[in-house]
């Protein structure tokens, strides 16, 4: 099967790091580039973190593009670790990859148009606030034709929010961008907290990341430094790695269960960022999203660990992964 041509739009971010390194070691995915957005930490730091990760992976064929430094309309919010800024060099060593000159939005537009010209479509894995993706769609509506689907980590339907009692962070950080994407007509595959909370990674799993050479060791450093567990909430040890579910879904969709639904998002007021789904089609409106509701926890965990371990083998390059320059 031909690899998925994928742009990863991210706000690294510890779980973004797992998703990015997983994708860079997976032959099923041709990473066209990373488009970076502010989110977990300010844009300056998400760009530094993305460049460090690509450098660590040895995949110098994968460019990094800087995107939006803030949301479309609401005031800026960051993740709970915003104070740390970029990954400390002791956790993730500095590398020699530098950000491209072209903007992330222009890269998305150029890639989608090139796909259309080649009779293909790209996939966008949106694992941060969806500002870059929304800007590309609003400023250049024609690009929608070049996007097969937007596989996005975000939202909460049956689970309560974790950034506010009602909202998941990526949607909360830019609800207007999420609304634009949901209403764009581009097929959306959404990985909400309902599902990502089902797969909890423990210290034993983090230890196994260390099979993955320098990249795996860096991932171990990040996950063992920033505790993402919440035994009170989850009732057992471990924490989610939200963003990697988007990559796992592209590689092994059979590990997931989903249902079609019309979805929307609250963009103002106390419940800003609240996402809702009409799972029983009460409104008689066409579904605009595939909502991924369940995951095979063991299957997903083993897949992520196995792909990270590949960073410990021979040098990863585009010949091994079928990737190509953007
Ligand atoms: O709510 C989890 C999401 O917000 C993840 O993508 C995490 O990296 C943050 O961006
Ligand atoms: Ca993220």
């Amino acid at each position: 099967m031909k690899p998925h041509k994928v742009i990863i739009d991210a706000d690294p971010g510890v779980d973004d790091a797992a998703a990015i390194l997983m994708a860079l070691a997976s032959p099923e995915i041709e990473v066209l580039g990373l488009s970076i957005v502010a989110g977990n930490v300010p844009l300056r730091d998400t760009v530094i973190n993305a460049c460090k990760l690509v450098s660590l992976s040895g995949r110098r064929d994968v460019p990094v593009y800087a995107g939006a430094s803030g949301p479309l309309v609401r005031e800026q919010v960051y993740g709970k670790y915003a104070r740390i800024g970029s990954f400390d060099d002791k956790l993730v060593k500095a590398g020699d990859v530098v950000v491209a000159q072209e903007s992330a939005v222009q890269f998305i537009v150029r890639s989608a148009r090139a796909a259309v010209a080649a009779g293909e479509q790209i996939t966008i894995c949106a694992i941060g606030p969806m500002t870059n993706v929304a800007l590309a769609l609003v400023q250049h509506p024609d690009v929608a034709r070049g996007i097969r689907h937007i596989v996005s980590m975000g939202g909460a339907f049956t689970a309560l929010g974790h950034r506010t009692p009602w909202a998941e962070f990526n949607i909360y950080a830019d609800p207007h961008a999420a609304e634009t994407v949901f209403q764009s007509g581009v097929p959306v595959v959404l990985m909400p907290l309902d599902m990502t909370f089902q797969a909890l990674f423990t210290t034993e799993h983090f230890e196994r990341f260390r099979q993955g050479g320098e990249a795996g060791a860096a991932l171990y450093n990040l996950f063992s430094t920033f505790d993402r567990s919440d035994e009170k909430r989850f009732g057992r040890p471990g924490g989610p790695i939200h963003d990697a579910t988007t990559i796992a879904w592209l590689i092994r969709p059979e590990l997931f269960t989903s249902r079609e639904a019309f979805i929307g998002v609250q963009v103002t007021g106390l419940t800003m960022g609240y996402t809702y789904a009409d799972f029983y089609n009460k409104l008689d409106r066409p579904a605009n999203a595939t909502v991924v509701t369940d995951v095979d926890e063991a299957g997903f965990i083993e897949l992520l660990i196995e792909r990270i371990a590949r960073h410990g083998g021979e040098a990863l390059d585009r010949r091994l992964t079928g990737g190509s320059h953007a």
Side-chain angles (χ1 to χ4, degrees), residues 72-141:
L72 296 182
V73 176
R74 64 156 297 156
E75 77 284 1
Q76 179 85 50
V77 288
Y78 296 116
K80 72 177 186 180
Y81 288 116
R83 71 189 183 289
I84 65 160
S86 58
F87 298 147
D88 186 293
D89 286 354
K90 288 193 292 297
L91 299 177
V92 184
K93 73 177 188 180
D96 56 2
V97 170
V98 294
V99 68
Q101 288 305 303
E102 184 178 26
S103 76
V105 171
Q106 196 46 46
F107 164 63
I108 292 170
V109 171
R110 174 170 61 83
S111 301
R113 285 176 174 163
V116 171
E120 300 173 335
Q121 289 185 305
I122 63 172
T123 292
I124 295 178
C125 271
I127 54 177
M130 290 190 267
T131 318
N132 293 336
V133 183
L135 285 170
L137 289 167
V138 167
Q139 293 172 357
H140 306 282

Side-chain angles (χ1 to χ4, degrees), residues 11 15-16 40 127-128 170 243:
D11 64 332
D15 62 326
D16 304 69
N40 279 305
I127 54 177
N170 285 338
D243 293 337

Side-chain angles (χ1 to χ4, degrees), residues 33-36 46-47 50-51 54 62-66 97-102:
L34 306 185
S35 55
I36 302 304
T46 52
V47 169
C51 289
V54 172
V62 177
V64 176
Y65 299 87
V97 170
V98 294
V99 68
Q101 288 305 303
E102 184 178 26

Side-chain angles (χ1 to χ4, degrees), residues 152-157 168 190-197 291-293:
S152 167
M153 188 280 134
F157 298 101
E168 174 280 325
L190 199 63
M191 313 274 161
L193 297 179
D194 316 5
M195 180 272 290
T196 62
F197 280 162
V291 178
V292 181
T293 56

